[in-house]
Amino acid sequence: MESGPAIFAGTVFALFGAALLLWTGTRVAHRAPVAHGVQQTAAATLASLAGLGALALAVWSFTRV
């Protein structure tokens, strides 16, 4: 019974983390701003850390199944 919410949460975290990393990488590759009003390096670093954090939470959620 408890594996359903863990699978759902893991899937959501995995999709969000992967999409955020893909979006950030695309913005950096095109030299477009990742966040307006913030230095490119700082914004890309924080967005990448958030994406990796979401992927880490996905892995953790999937280990709880």
Side-chain angles (χ1 to χ4, degrees), residues 25-45:
T26 303
R27 299 293 287 183
V28 169
H30 290 284
R31 297 183 189 262
V34 176
H36 293 288
V38 182
Q39 290 181 354
Q40 178 79 5
T41 309
T45 302

Side-chain angles (χ1 to χ4, degrees), residues 2-65:
E2 294 181 9
S3 65
I7 292 171
F8 177 75
T11 302
V12 169
F13 281 128
L15 288 174
F16 175 74
L20 185 59
L21 287 175
L22 179 67
W23 180 82
T24 303
T26 303
R27 299 293 287 183
V28 169
H30 290 284
R31 297 183 189 262
V34 176
H36 293 288
V38 182
Q39 290 181 354
Q40 178 79 5
T41 309
T45 302
L46 287 175
S48 297
L49 287 175
L52 290 173
L55 289 176
L57 283 172
V59 169
W60 180 78
S61 293
F62 287 135
T63 61
R64 300 293 169 193
V65 174

